[in-house]
Amino acid sequence: MDRARQRALARICGQRLLQAAIVSLLVAALCFLLVQQLPGDMAFRIAAGRYGYDYVDAAAADAVRQELGLARPAWQQFAGWLGQLAQLQLGQSLVSGGAVLAEIAHHLGATLQLAAASVALALGVGLPLGLASGLAPGGWADRLTLGYSVLLRALPPFLLGLMLILALSVQLGWAPAAGHGEGGNLLLPALTLGLGLSGLTARIVRDSVLAVVRADYYRFARSKGLAPWRVFLRHGLRNIGVTVVAYAGVQLILLIEGVVVVESLFAWPGVGHALVHAIFWRDVPMIQGCTLLLAWLFVLMNTATDLLCLAIDPRGPAES
Amino acid sequence: MFPLRSPLYAGSLLLAMSLAAHAKPLNLIGPWEIHSLDPSSSSGILFTRLQVAETLVDADNTGTLKPGLASRWQAAPDQLSWRFTLRDGARFHDGSAVTAASVVAALERARKKPGMLENAPISAIRADGKDVVVVLGKPFAPLPAVFAHSHTQVLAPASYAADGSVTGIIGSGPYRVTRLRLPQRVTVQAFAGWQGKKPAITDASYQAIGRAESRTLTAESGQADIAFGLDPVSIARLKSSPRVSIVSATLPRAIQIKFNAGHKWLNSPAMRLAISQSINRQAIATALLRDPEMAASQLFPPTMTAWHQATLPALAYQPDQARRSFAALGWKPGADGQLLRNGERLALTLRTYPDRPELPLLATALQDQLRQAGIAVQVKVGNSSDIPAAHKDGTLELALYARNYALVPDPLVTLLGDFTDDGADWGVMKWQNAALSQQLAALGRGGLSAPQAAAARLKVAAVLQQQLPVLPVAWYRQSAAVSKALRGVSLDPQERSYRLSSMSWGR
């Protein structure tokens, strides 16, 4: 590895570490502040989460307040949590009493599994379609792909999911309609998200292929007599790769934080689902734990994307 | 194909095939996620419903008590203590014997948590040989019913960690837990040490699926053998499905409006009756619940045979009568139809919550019907705890909720809690009635003859109907989509059990 490359690598890692530290503090403080500002009495909310709507009453709320020390000033509660965090502990859920880390690990695992499968599917469908359209712009493949992209972009994921359940589960019986933990559960939610993304992925790949194919260096390589496939492998693939990897990275992050609707339709126990429950019940350690882990994960994935881009294009982001 | 060599071969093949058929696990799907294993938590009831954990006392469809983990029970002559005798030979799923000491330990843990045991005047619970003795501060006739509540389920000592938290469900019922995957899944298997009839369904799993549409689709696709928590539209749709049939039971639950009877506009029975007459319950039940029979004519549904009073005049939709009553109370419609008195508009806030999906729908229908009567209602859909919180700080005006009168099989226990003179979070607010309190107290003390008790219940129902401290809107029918391959399925109106042990696979 040359010095310039080492410097770039060190710069990226250093920047990201600093970013992670700042982001965690900001996220934790903001979460705590926002939850304190939410309307309603926290003790009542937690009691409703614990005991259910038939049993939540003032006595249960008082018992919760007593047990959790919710009457303490807010800054003391926050300081207590920061103290725990300093020992790398995320605490216990106020509702279930379970360890936050263990609960989130289950949800985060499910989310990552679904996100990875969806991006893989989106790339699996989008890459060949995008390549076919980009290499022959205006051709039939390009026009068909455009139609496909518009159609899938216009379909709300919720509707696409329902259609897939009706077709693949109710009619054909190929996969379970919803749920988690048995074989085949991943198929429908991954298809819903993956197909939804594949349309735009195909367009991004197409534009990126087109830009490369029309570039001077590419035309020069062609005109000096290299075979088309050789030109593509040697001069095309890498240049297209940077855009596609960066785009896939962004998609992965969107999938991790923003698919509550699809998670809820398929009863997929993702982190969005856990976060929504935690906010509804004012389960502060769960909210903070979820947001914190998500923030770290985003920093980690941004770093991985940057490093991958650097590996593909050693000139680094500034020059390319 | 080779011909079978002997009848023995054929016999064992048939046996293997029938075993394989029996081994098909039953898939139950419902809306309730499992967030905690603690019996006092909202998830605790799942383990009694799955027949994993038992309570001392059980109940049949009508709420009549029958033996559970206790084979019999009896009150002392002074009614100040009750003795529950445990079933002989009962074992927990870890093989240990169910002893009086382990029962007392489980009940003592339950007493320390908020829940149903708070409603009974218990001063001590102790073990006496094979018996569990419950000592009371004052006579409390419905006590055995309290020990049918899932909060009092008896788990083995090994279920608890040193700090008292529940780490596993080791019960004594016909099924034992084989796998737990919080918050969504629990798998059970028939318990070999069960003394009663061996269940035909040997393996079952419960899975939580949050959305009603998704649950409907799991039933329609055959993924679910039984799906609970269906919305009225889906039930109508599933009725035409070739795979499933719909099984229903009317629950002892009423969807009702709680009044702040201390509110300056709501403090007269005449006003509450006029509001009641402005509500078209039949239309609401037909259009939204898709079940006209569920329009409530009084608080207690007909299936609560001891409490429903056929002789009471039904609450009816009488808009003209309501208008006259409003006018008699000084409320006259303004130019826009809105009722006014001394320059004040009749505007109220109705709180409700979305945990039961029909409630926000009903709230908006009520809002529209009351608007037609000239009352401006603002609907606030929030957390279920907003209602007790607003009760506590006195800001509550109207609240719409579904009250379960079979929290324990004897509705008296819930009624004693809900209709106290001090008011109750899920009962009356700033309302009291000496006659009603007196009758409830007499029923609570016990010792009444059957006709006396019936007369007391009639009096209670009549006072509630005349005074309307809470306004019945609809009753509730629970429905489940059930695979046509299953036999012996029935829903428990008490919502105590899924009754897996009485089901079997059909041919």
Side-chain angles (χ1 to χ4, degrees), chain A residues 40-41 44-65 95-98 103 106-107 158 162 165-166 169-171 173 175-182 185 261 264-269 273 277 280-281, chain B residues 27 29 32-33 35-37 40-43 45 113-116 118 149-151 179 181-185 207-211 213-214 217-218 220-221 223 237 243 253 353-356 382-386 388-389 392 402-404 407 425-426:
Chain A
D41 184 334
F44 270 97
R45 288 296 184 108
I46 296 167
R50 280 190 186 181
Y51 306 115
Y53 54 84
D54 277 331
Y55 301 98
V56 52
D57 57 18
D62 285 342
V64 164
R65 203 187 318 275
V95 173
S96 74
E103 294 201 5
H106 174 63
H107 290 288
F158 189 79
L162 273 179
I165 297 181
L166 282 173
S169 182
V170 175
Q171 295 302 327
H180 178 253
E182 53 190 350
N185 276 142
V261 173
S264 118
L265 176 67
F266 291 102
W268 191 260
H273 173 95
H277 269 72
F280 197 64
W281 292 334
Chain B
N27 278 325
I29 282 178
W32 310 280
E33 288 197 347
H35 288 283
S36 163
L37 301 181
S40 73
S41 77
S42 55
S43 314
I45 195 165
K113 302 267 168 66
M116 221 50 216
E118 284 174 342
H149 193 277
S150 67
H151 285 167
R179 191 155 181 265
R181 195 77 190 119
L182 266 50
Q184 266 189 305
R185 212 175 235 286
Q207 179 161 209
I209 289 185
R211 297 194 70 93
E213 305 91 320
S214 310
L217 290 166
T218 59
E220 217 176 340
S221 67
Q223 181 190 351
R237 172 191 162 94
R243 277 202 178 107
R253 212 180 246 285
Y353 51 90
D355 304 45
R356 298 186 73 88
N383 185 272
S384 56
S385 68
D386 293 348
K392 188 182 173 194
R403 187 61 172 154
N404 183 359
L407 289 176
D425 300 73
W426 294 104

Side-chain angles (χ1 to χ4, degrees), chain B residues 443-457:
Chain B
L443 286 164
R445 274 191 307 274
L448 301 182
S449 67
Q452 281 172 327
R457 288 192 296 264

